[in-house]
Every structure is written in C-alpha cells, then in structure tokens.
Amino acid sequence: MPPLEGLEHRDSSAVFTWLNLHFPADGSKIDWRRVRGRHLHRQITDAHRLATMASMEVCRRINPGSMVEHVGDGLSPYGVSFTDAHAPSVVAALLEIPEHHYFLAEDRSWIVVVTMEGDLDVVDQLNGEPR
C-alpha cells in the first residue's frame, strides 16, 4: 500500500485558521522573526537533505500513539493525519509534493514547516494561546 493511501483526511482550513490565530504573519507567510516559543531555523539547499532533516524533526517529536496533522499550501486539496508508526514513509511521500508543508502535533505543542525554498522551521513549546 502506498504511504499516503488510507490516511485520514482533515479540513485544511481549520489548520490554517489555527495558524493565523497563533502565529504572526508577514503577508501570507509566518513572520518567523516574531514567533514565540523555542524556534529553530535551518536553510538547506539540498532537497534530499532537507527532506531527511524534516522527517527527523517530525519523527523525534511524535509521542507514541499520537497523531500528526499535515497541510500543504498548494497542491494538496485537504490535510491528512497519521501516527508515529507511519511517520517516516508518510513524511517522505508528502515532501515529494511541491508546496509548503506544515506538520503539527495533535495537541499543537510543536510545528515543523518545510518550504520549497529550502527553509526548515521548527517551533517547540507552543503555549496554545493566540498571539
């Protein structure tokens, strides 16, 4: 079975609404300079290395048995959710889609964002309160 087959579909607009409420914006993008929480930024020009690093960041944050939500801002018509057991193959498959990717913890305690321009942004210890 391909890695994306059978994943639970989610409403992308709900996640983007949450992002807009909890992150400062600069136009249609997150203004990373003003983000609260523990923020890590990397610029990685090699696409394979970017995908590997992004997968590692997502997989190391998933609590056993919890869900991760993913939304994309381009070609993906809906969001998906997946568990830790499927994370490595699902993250790799999702990163093949040419768009910006947002991976969020089910409890919204962390987010990993990957852009087509080679940015990898990770925020831990989100406080759950609007900005």
Side-chain angles (χ1 to χ4, degrees):
M1 175 186 287
L4 300 180
E5 193 170 313
L7 295 181
E8 182 181 338
H9 294 190
R10 299 282 179 120
D11 179 6
S12 295
S13 65
V15 172
F16 285 118
T17 297
W18 185 88
L19 289 169
N20 287 331
L21 289 173
H22 291 84
F23 285 92
D26 182 11
S28 64
K29 298 180 181 180
I30 294 173
D31 185 351
W32 292 108
R33 296 166 299 165
R34 297 184 2 217
V35 167
R36 290 186 276 168
R38 195 170 55 192
H39 176 228
L40 167 73
H41 172 78
R42 290 189 178 111
Q43 176 70 39
I44 304 169
T45 56
D46 178 80
H48 177 71
R49 185 167 176 256
L50 175 63
T52 299
M53 295 295 293
S55 183
M56 286 176 25
E57 294 292 350
V58 171
C59 291
R60 70 181 246 212
R61 286 173 171 75
I62 302 172
N63 291 324
S66 68
M67 299 290 286
V68 174
E69 287 187 70
H70 169 272
V71 296
D73 68 354
L75 297 176
S76 296
Y78 46 79
V80 295
S81 60
F82 54 93
T83 64
D84 59 320
H86 301 103
S89 60
V90 170
V91 171
L94 288 168
L95 290 175
E96 293 288 323
I97 302 169
E99 62 186 354
H100 293 172
H101 299 272
Y102 301 82
F103 297 92
L104 298 92
E106 180 177 40
D107 65 0
R108 302 297 191 255
S109 60
W110 57 264
I111 181 173
V112 174
V113 179
V114 184
T115 70
M116 293 178 8
E117 297 81 19
D119 295 303
L120 174 61
D121 288 280
V122 180
V123 180
D124 286 310
Q125 299 177 342
L126 295 175
N127 61 12
E129 295 180 17
R131 56 185 155 104

